[in-house]
Amino acid sequence: MLSAKTTSKVQLYDGNSSKWKKALLCEISESNLPIKYGGTLPDLLQKKIEAAKLVSENGGLGMSGISIDALNTVTIGAGSKLNLDYDIKDSNIKISWIFKSDAHDIGFLINHNKKEVVPKRRINSQDIVNEGSYICPGIGKYTVTFDNTYSLFRAKTLHYLITIEDSKYANEIIEKSSK
């Protein structure tokens, strides 16, 4: 099916990580390769969590200007989604997020009263930490959704933090989740 020229460029490995890690290190410098693949580059999410905890422990504020209490971990089944509902009672409230999956992509969107305000997109969050924020222009129900409905066979383990920042209550985190 494939030409000899193409097959000469492809290398296949079994589950023996010592073999494929050596091959990766021949192509990618150790400092640019994550630890889990045999390099020395720390996991970006872990670095941000550790930095936020350090700031919080020293009496300061976390990544988004509010205290960091916990990072939530959840497994979203194949064909399922996680909806996090927030009842916003004032305008100009900021919803901030940070998340990363252990493996594979995940869908992400935000709705306001069932209307999409942060467009749905599939994010390769296994490779990068995704973070951002949205300023709520009005009151109502805002739903943050992590969507795995397109996946027929794979559940996704997701690590996330959603924060709600009100200028009057800058250190309060409110979360209500429903599946």
Side-chain angles (χ1 to χ4, degrees):
M1 294 235 151
L2 299 174
S3 70
K5 183 178 177 182
T6 300
T7 57
S8 70
K9 297 176 187 178
V10 176
Q11 295 178 28
L12 299 176
Y13 296 92
D14 59 17
N16 184 348
S17 64
S18 64
K19 290 181 182 178
W20 58 260
K21 283 182 180 180
K22 284 180 187 175
L24 280 175
L25 289 169
C26 289
E27 301 295 325
I28 303 169
S29 83
E30 188 177 45
S31 63
N32 289 326
L33 192 62
I35 293 169
K36 67 182 177 181
Y37 298 119
T40 59
L41 183 66
D43 181 278
L44 295 176
L45 178 61
Q46 190 61 38
K47 281 176 66 175
K48 287 186 179 211
I49 293 165
E50 288 169 6
K53 284 182 181 176
L54 180 63
V55 171
S56 293
E57 287 168 3
N58 291 326
L61 299 174
M63 293 176 291
S64 301
I66 59 178
S67 296
I68 303 297
D69 290 337
L71 188 69
N72 302 293
T73 299
V74 65
T75 298
I76 303 172
S80 299
K81 60 184 169 181
L82 172 67
N83 290 318
L84 304 169
D85 297 323
Y86 301 91
D87 187 20
I88 303 300
K89 299 184 183 300
D90 203 355
S91 58
N92 297 320
I93 302 295
K94 181 166 75 169
I95 299 175
S96 298
W97 60 87
I98 180 169
F99 65 89
K100 185 178 187 305
S101 60
D102 284 348
H104 308 290
D105 60 353
I106 192 80
F108 178 79
L109 69 133
I110 298 178
N111 287 325
H112 174 230
N113 296 329
K114 299 186 179 183
K115 181 181 177 196
E116 206 170 87
V117 293
V118 173
K120 181 178 179 178
R121 56 194 173 113
R122 285 172 61 173
I123 299 171
N124 290 323
S125 58
Q126 77 279 9
D127 297 327
I128 60 166
V129 174
N130 186 280
E131 59 183 308
S133 63
Y134 175 77
I135 304 295
C136 303
I139 63 171
K141 178 181 170 184
Y142 286 82
T143 303
V144 176
T145 300
F146 294 102
D147 189 352
N148 194 31
T149 56
Y150 55 85
S151 182
L152 299 176
F153 304 108
R154 285 196 172 111
K156 311 286 172 60
T157 299
L158 181 72
H159 309 280
Y160 72 94
L161 180 67
I162 306 293
T163 58
I164 308 298
E165 186 177 348
D166 182 334
S167 59
K168 294 179 239 175
Y169 308 103
N171 292 322
E172 187 174 348
I173 297 175
I174 306 166
E175 181 173 303
K176 176 185 173 192
S177 65
S178 63
K179 290 184 181 182

